[in-house]
């Protein structure tokens, strides 16, 4: 039986763990050739090995999406090696929670650099390829935090609301080129995201809240991404909001 993404090439950022890793495995299982991008070379090599063991095709690319030149080199490398780019999954992101008053402003810069600028750099580099192909699908990973603001996550909210706005503006720009745009908004997911929080009080509160619910698994989000990308070309799934059943906000 033919796989649904046979002949497609997917580029996935933030692929060394969590949602990015699960998405790479899911898209490869559907027949896509996947280029997996992240900063941790060892984790990428392990992921590529798993995909190859399942008879898939994967290419590891070590890069920091917050660096525009590195992103351009990544896209050129993937296009040169795999011939095209059909799916871009802008997954790389940071969730550095904490109150605005007294915050370490370096956390703000890091989030804006990765969550917004990284997404923009990658999208900007891939668009000419997709326009030339007259096809493509850009998947942007936002968050429930892109819909609902709360104290202690204000700057993270800014970045994720920005992803939602960018996605809709982009959709209106590129639909005539037959390029689809989808934004995926997960609620709580069991990933490494919370481990990078530098504000100890915010980290403690997030851990306590997560202990009270059963969070989503990375595979749940990967399945939502697969759903969006395998739709007929006439269908553009613009937005998917997905929460754990026990999540109240």
């Amino acid at each position: 039986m033919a796989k649904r993404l046979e002949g497609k090439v997917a580029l996935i950022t933030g692929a060394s763990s969590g949602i990015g890793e699960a998405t790479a495995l899911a898209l490869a299982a559907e027949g896509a050739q996947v280029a997996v991008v992240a900063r941790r070379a060892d984790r990428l090599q392990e992921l590529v090995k798993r995909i190859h063991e399942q008879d898939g095709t994967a290419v590891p690319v070590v890069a920091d999406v917050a660096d525009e030149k590195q992103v351009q080199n990544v896209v050129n490398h993937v296009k040169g090696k795999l011939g095209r780019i059909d799916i871009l999954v802008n997954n790389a992101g940071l969730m550095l929670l904490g109150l605005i008053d007294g915050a370490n402003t370096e956390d703000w810069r890091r989030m804006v650099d990765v969550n917004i600028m990284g997404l923009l750099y990658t999208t900007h580099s891939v668009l000419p390829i997709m326009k030339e192909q007259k096809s493509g699908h850009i998947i942007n990973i936002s968050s429930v935090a892109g819909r609902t603001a709360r104290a202690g996550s204000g700057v993270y909210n800014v970045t994720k609301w920005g992803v939602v706005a960018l996605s809709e503006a982009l959709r209106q720009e590129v639909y005539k080129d037959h390029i689809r745009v989808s934004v995926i908004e997960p609620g709580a997911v069991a990933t490494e995201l919370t481990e990078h929080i530098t504000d100890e009080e915010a980290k403690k509160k997030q851990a306590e809240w997560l202990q009270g619910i059963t969070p989503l698994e990375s595979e749940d989000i990967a399945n939502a991404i697969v759903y969006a990308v395998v739709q007929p070309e006439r269908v553009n799934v613009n937005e998917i909001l997905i929460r754990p059943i026990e999540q109240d906000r």
Side-chain angles (χ1 to χ4, degrees):
M1 183 179 295
K3 296 181 178 180
R4 292 181 291 180
L5 295 175
E6 201 76 51
K8 302 289 187 181
V9 173
L11 191 163
I12 304 152
T13 68
S16 60
S17 66
I19 293 170
E21 179 183 21
T23 299
L25 290 164
L27 296 182
E30 290 288 351
Q33 301 176 76
V34 297
V36 290
V37 182
R39 292 180 299 172
R40 293 180 289 183
D42 56 337
R43 297 290 295 268
L44 288 181
Q45 291 294 345
E46 291 172 10
L47 174 58
V48 167
K49 181 180 178 183
R50 289 174 65 191
I51 291 171
H52 288 170
E53 287 172 349
Q54 297 169 14
D55 297 322
T57 300
V59 174
V61 190
V62 178
D64 181 352
V65 298
D67 185 314
E68 184 175 8
K69 185 61 177 176
Q70 289 187 42
V71 170
Q72 291 172 344
N73 290 339
V74 165
V75 172
N76 291 338
H77 175 72
V78 173
K79 173 67 162 56
K81 193 167 186 68
L82 300 179
R84 57 189 297 118
I85 299 175
D86 301 286
I87 300 164
L88 168 62
V89 182
N90 280 312
N91 168 71
L94 293 169
M95 183 182 71
L96 305 177
L97 303 181
L99 297 174
I100 293 169
D101 184 29
N104 177 355
T105 56
E106 181 58 27
D107 283 353
W108 299 354
R109 281 184 283 274
R110 289 175 63 201
M111 280 194 289
V112 170
D113 285 347
V114 175
N115 297 3
I116 296 180
M117 298 310 299
L119 181 150
L120 283 169
Y121 293 149
T122 314
T123 300
H124 184 258
S125 295
V126 164
L127 274 177
I129 297 169
M130 292 184 171
K131 285 190 171 185
E132 184 179 357
Q133 294 169 178
K134 284 291 181 183
S135 68
H137 199 151
I138 296 172
I139 304 283
N140 293 330
I141 306 301
S142 179
S143 168
V144 168
R147 284 176 170 247
T148 305
R150 62 184 177 88
S153 66
V155 180
Y156 182 62
N157 290 138
V158 167
T159 66
K160 290 305 184 179
W161 283 52
V163 171
V164 173
L166 285 167
S167 300
E168 174 56 16
L170 179 64
R171 183 194 68 79
Q172 294 179 33
E173 285 188 26
V174 301
Y175 74 92
K176 289 184 179 178
D177 295 295
H178 293 239
I179 298 171
R180 301 189 286 189
V181 180
S182 303
V183 61
I184 312 294
E185 300 155 292
V189 185
T191 70
E192 297 178 3
L193 205 58
T194 58
E195 296 175 16
H196 304 292
I197 299 172
T198 62
D199 184 303
E200 291 302 323
E201 183 62 26
K203 191 172 187 177
K204 178 183 175 184
K205 286 183 178 179
Q206 187 70 8
E208 289 172 349
W209 177 66
L210 285 171
Q211 287 173 2
I213 66 171
T214 302
L216 299 169
E217 298 293 334
S218 297
E219 290 75 14
D220 300 325
I221 311 307
N223 289 340
I225 292 169
V226 170
Y227 168 79
V229 299
V230 301
Q231 295 303 308
E233 288 298 323
R234 67 181 180 274
V235 177
N236 187 0
V237 178
N238 301 145
E239 191 172 13
I240 299 177
L241 173 64
I242 175 171
R243 288 186 178 95
I245 195 168
E246 297 173 331
Q247 183 169 342
D248 63 346
R249 60 175 190 254

